[in-house]
Amino acid sequence: MDLRPALTARPPRSAADGHAATVTATDGAPGRRRLRIDGTDVVSFVLGAAILVAVASAIKWSFVATLDPGVLLQYWRPLLRGALTTLAITGAALAVGLAVGILLAVLQQLPIGPARWLILVYVEVWRNTPLIVQLFWIHFGLPLLTGISTTAFASGFLALALQSSAYLADIARAGIQAVPRGQWEAARALGLPAVSLWGEIVLPQALRVMIPPFTNLALSFLNGSALLGLLQVGELMTAATRISDYTFKPIEVMSAAGLLYLLLNLAIGRAAQGLERLTAVPR
Amino acid sequence: MAAEAIITCEGVVKRFRGFVALKGVDLAVRAGEVVCIVGPSGGGKSTLLRTINALESIDGGSITVDGRRLPGSGRDVRHIRREVGMVFQSFNLFPHMTVRRNVALAPMRARKLGAAEANARAERLLARVGIAEQIDKYPDQLSGGQQQRVAIARALAMEPRVMLFDEPTSALDPEMVKEVLEVMRELAGSGMTMLVVTHELAFAREVADRILFMVEGAIAVAAPPKEFFANTADARLASFLSKML
Amino acid sequence: MHFDTSVIAQNLPLLARGLELTLLLVAASLILGTAFGALACVGKLLGRGLLYWIAVGYIALLRGVPELIVMFWIYYCGPLLLGARLSSFAAALAAMSLYAGAYLAEIFRAGVLAVPRGHVEAARALGLAEPFVWLDIILPQALRTMIPAFIGVVTIIVKVSGLASAIGVAELVYEATIVSGQSYRYFELFTAVGACYFALIFPLSLLAQRYEAARARRLR
Ligand SMILES: Nc1ncnc2c1ncn2[C@@H]1O[C@H](COP(=O)(O)OP(=O)(O)O)[C@@H](O)[C@H]1O
Ligand SMILES: [Mg+2]
């Protein structure tokens, strides 16, 4: 099995590679690769075909023929509304999580011992337990403690916001620490007040560093929010399970819902790239 | 002399986890004086400058700048930082702000200047250091020499009474050293009190009123340029000078 | 309200059985996921051909669609498509393995690509046969760099396993839901279950951090 082309991460035809050099010589057309089948293509095809054949032979094709995409034409509105709700609840939760996370990260930089420890515990507890347990704890357990019962929507929102704040505190901490020491010193030497030091020098630079990890987090929370469907919060997963239960057409409906999540993922990834370009500092 | 001193260090001690970086430094700088500090790397030159600006706390002795004493209250520290400008070896410009904003920011935030006034000041100072036409660019779009001149303008924008320079030309390509030294020379001529850590001995000889030789956390020699370069009594200075030439 | 530990004590056997199933589910899906991941990794490394595109599609799909959708999809659609019965455990296992595989594929690939090219070329220049280049040079180094990320996937899979309760797998979350539904002691049970997951996941996170820090030190 020749994994070399990918492994060396450069064009497969190069004079530096002994094996390839002979090929170039016999081809007699350096720079222009003629269509040539080698071991890589054979292995890739044989293994790929084996997978496809295995899957295809397991599927009951007579059933596939009865699939009815028409159900989607009938129910695209509630699905779309669910997708928008997913986007809204995830977005709002992440916005709150970002604000709280940054606040925690800033507090963590200040020399207040107990606050540091409390924040550390908070962050680690939320990060090291499953969202589903947090969701049930908030929705079913917490009201017994506080006496305030929350709606499914509020519980779902709270779970997403709290967990994301813990992850974002960590991301913000890394972002703040990525700001070079010289920036702090220059700001201090200029006598900038603390508000300006944080608000105009440190955080703007930290936020830029945070965009890629924040994007990853946003995508994982977008998908994680499907969990709220278990409480019938009314977002995309709720819509999908309701329609699928009602119509008895899980394949069409669940596939469509999955596709919608995929599209949201791609759109957010794109938007993040745009944001990164937009906030890039000219150089 | 001590009466009109604007910076007075008395027995300043600085430790880093047991390692003594400053071993009781005494120094008085008069208003309008230009003092250059030379010496081998690790001698404590940067540390001394940073303690004067309260970027490092001190473990012994005292520093008085413009009538305020260190160690002191937060108010004293803020006062001193406003009255003392600092230029770093690595420029430390704010990369996410235009050159104009780099210069105008501190007067607005720490001196409560209006935006229009701060901008006008930025324009004037950037013209003075010879980069008026780069005013709306970002730091990373400038050469090292230009960045360092912006950093000088940024420090001057606070209208400080003292300027500290920590090897301002050490990170620069040789052809850019001259343009920065030119700005510093002009500044010295204008009567600014300056404390300059540098390896540019020719500059020190020409501009300084006094040159200090710092080794192992102490000032070993302090003399006007003529005497300084004629000094043969201190073996370490002689060896240092012979290496620099 | 007081924290009533007796309900936990009384139902300890049930919860223990749930934990057992959680651990079984995690272990099995990591083993299967490693196989899927290795195959998809080979596909990505090949760089072209049928297997490459299958790997690309598989990874993009599984990383772009919620775990819960994958689980529901397999549980509800699997029996229809395959025309066979599918237990909830099998459905959860399939979903989690596929999910783990998609993550592991990228981790494996990054590990292989992180091996310095010079080492590979030196081995080939010494006349080492290709299988030995992989066994003796690439894999040992790649495996070492993968450890923190692999542990990270383990923690993710432990967390994802809780979703299996939604399709009726009687793992830890499921048992807690049942017991608390009867006793109305939600707060106690989910606090205990949360603590249990924390006890599983936190040490792994620390371990991953330790490895990561050690690797960063070595690179410096
Ligand atoms: N933040 C610090 N932590 C520990 N040691 C330091 C720190 N800053 C400086 N030092 C040490 O103090 C000594 C003096 O450093 P410095 O003032 O930078 O010397 P110079 O500027 O003359 O080269 C050096 O030995 C240096 O390693
Ligand atoms: Mg220095």
Side-chain angles (χ1 to χ4, degrees), chain A residues 180-193 196 199-205 208 280-283, chain B residues 50 53 55-56 81-82 84 86 88 92-97 101 105-106 109-110 112 138 140-141 154-155 158:
Chain A
R181 234 177 66 145
Q183 294 291 305
W184 300 75
E185 298 196 335
R188 292 214 174 100
L190 284 169
L192 288 181
S196 174
E200 295 185 281
I201 308 299
V202 176
L203 288 182
Q205 297 186 60
R208 229 194 84 65
V281 175
R283 54 183 311 137
Chain B
R50 294 159 57 80
N53 208 2
L55 285 177
E56 304 281 5
R81 284 180 178 162
R82 279 200 301 265
V84 176
M86 178 133 181
F88 301 86
N92 293 344
L93 293 179
F94 306 131
H96 59 301
M97 294 178 177
R101 195 162 170 76
L105 183 72
R109 298 292 180 262
K112 307 286 172 224
Y138 285 83
D140 286 344
Q141 295 174 300
R154 179 175 72 174
M158 287 294 286

Side-chain angles (χ1 to χ4, degrees), chain A residues 196-270:
Chain A
S196 174
L197 165 74
W198 282 101
E200 295 185 281
I201 308 299
V202 176
L203 288 182
Q205 297 186 60
L207 281 171
R208 229 194 84 65
V209 180
M210 286 167 61
I211 294 177
F214 179 75
T215 307
N216 284 336
L217 190 78
L219 294 178
S220 96
F221 269 83
L222 182 78
N223 285 347
S225 76
L227 194 57
L228 306 194
L230 298 181
L231 294 186
Q232 302 279 305
V233 158
E235 35 60 77
L236 181 50
M237 189 70 193
T238 310
T241 43
R242 277 191 192 148
I243 297 167
S244 146
D245 287 353
Y246 183 71
T247 58
F248 295 109
K249 295 200 183 305
I251 296 187
E252 294 85 339
V253 177
M254 282 294 164
S255 304
L259 201 64
L260 277 172
Y261 275 109
L262 197 60
L263 288 177
L264 288 180
N265 266 281
L266 294 176
I268 291 176
R270 241 335 134 67

Side-chain angles (χ1 to χ4, degrees), chain C residues 15-46:
Chain C
L15 294 172
R17 227 178 314 139
L19 178 62
E20 213 175 292
L21 201 54
T22 293
L23 294 177
L24 181 65
L25 198 51
V26 168
S29 50
L30 282 172
I31 292 168
L32 274 177
T34 300
F36 289 150
L39 191 58
C41 170
V42 168
K44 279 291 273 265
L45 286 176
L46 285 173

